């Protein structure tokens, strides 16, 4: 049976893939690496496709915004900047997450490859990253002071990753996600 489902955005493109048989040749190993890490040109192409899609949406909505396509941290990124874009972010980034999923689907439709595209509107993600770093540091301080786990409010996958990154960079604490979407949250606890 052939699986024709579209991978979830939080699912790694290789998560459900069958293991590749290894023959030990350098050529096969290079092919395997190539499948796991798309070339930068492929990632930039994904950001171009997504940018075209987002530009079409902005035209339909009659919103003005400058769109930048780039590759950052091994993933395609589309940034939209301009005035009057708050409606594209929505409450706590909910609309932005939905637009990101639509842009990822547009990329998948054209390339046949799942994308880890990151969409940012009006610098929301950059600002939210700073806020989440402060939340993570506060939780770490509480864990170190009281020695008890700290449960944070439910967060999106993007927000949880930001918090995990900050906590993992600090000694003496660890973090893990618990629960089910949309109520998935992070627990910060003393390291074993």
């Amino acid at each position: 049976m052939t699986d024709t489902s579209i991978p979830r955005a939080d699912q790694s493109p290789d998560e459900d893939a069958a293991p590749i048989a290894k023959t030990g040749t350098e050529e096969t190993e290079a092919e395997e690496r190539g499948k796991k890490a798309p070339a930068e040109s492929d990632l930039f192409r994904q950001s171009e496709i997504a940018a075209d899609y987002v530009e079409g949406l902005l035209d339909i909505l009659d919103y003005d915004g400058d769109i930048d396509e780039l590759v950052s941290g091994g993933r395609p990124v589309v940034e939209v900047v301009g005035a009057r874009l708050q409606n594209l972010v929505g409450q706590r980034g909910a609309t932005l997450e939905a637009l990101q999923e639509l842009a990822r689907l547009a990329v998948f439709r054209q390339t046949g490859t799942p994308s880890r595209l990151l969409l940012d509107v009006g610098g929301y993600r950059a600002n939210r990253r700073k806020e989440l770093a402060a939340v993570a540091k506060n939780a770490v301080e509480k864990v170190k002071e009281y020695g008890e786990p700290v449960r944070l409010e439910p967060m999106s996958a993007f927000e949880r990753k930001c918090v995990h990154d900050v906590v993992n960079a600090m000694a003496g604490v660890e973090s893990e996600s618990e629960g089910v979407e949309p109520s998935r949250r992070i627990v910060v606890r003393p390291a074993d």
Side-chain angles (χ1 to χ4, degrees):
M1 180 187 323
T2 303
D3 181 14
T4 59
S5 63
I6 297 173
R8 298 182 320 268
D10 61 341
Q11 177 181 359
S12 166
D14 294 352
E15 203 169 289
D16 289 333
I20 299 172
K22 295 185 180 181
T23 62
T25 66
E26 290 180 21
E27 186 176 310
T28 304
E29 290 172 9
E31 286 177 16
E32 288 176 17
R33 278 193 304 273
K35 289 180 183 175
K36 291 182 181 176
E40 187 151 335
S41 61
D42 293 338
L43 294 175
F44 188 74
R45 175 72 181 126
Q46 290 180 19
S47 67
E48 288 178 323
I49 293 167
D52 289 344
Y53 179 80
V54 170
E55 185 175 16
L57 286 176
L58 291 177
D59 288 344
I60 291 168
L61 297 170
D62 196 27
Y63 282 15
D64 290 324
D66 293 325
I67 301 174
D68 293 323
E69 315 92 30
L70 54 130
V71 174
S72 178
R75 61 192 301 185
V77 178
V78 172
E79 295 176 346
V80 183
V81 293
R84 241 179 33 104
L85 296 175
Q86 185 58 36
N87 288 339
L88 296 178
V89 174
Q91 186 177 10
R92 293 201 53 200
T95 305
L96 176 57
E97 291 291 331
L99 289 173
Q100 178 175 275
E101 286 305 308
L102 291 171
R104 285 178 174 178
L105 286 172
V107 171
F108 181 78
R109 195 174 82 215
Q110 284 196 27
T111 66
T113 304
S115 177
R116 295 180 56 233
L117 172 84
L118 186 65
L119 175 64
D120 193 7
V121 173
Y124 173 80
R125 291 194 190 275
N127 293 333
R128 187 68 178 137
R129 229 181 236 111
K130 290 176 189 172
E131 293 170 3
L132 291 166
V135 167
K137 288 174 184 174
N138 186 34
V140 167
E141 288 173 11
K142 286 181 180 179
V143 168
K144 287 183 175 182
E145 183 176 341
Y146 300 110
E148 296 291 323
V150 173
R151 284 181 172 69
L152 301 177
E153 65 185 42
M155 298 179 186
S156 69
F158 163 76
E159 293 171 323
R160 289 192 311 271
K161 170 133 179 37
C162 292
V163 172
H164 283 306
D165 288 347
V166 171
V167 172
N168 289 335
M170 302 179 127
V173 291
E174 61 187 17
S175 62
E176 70 177 351
S177 294
E178 69 177 17
V180 185
E181 295 292 354
S183 298
R184 197 155 169 78
R185 66 181 66 230
I186 290 180
V187 179
V188 181
R189 61 176 44 98
D192 294 333

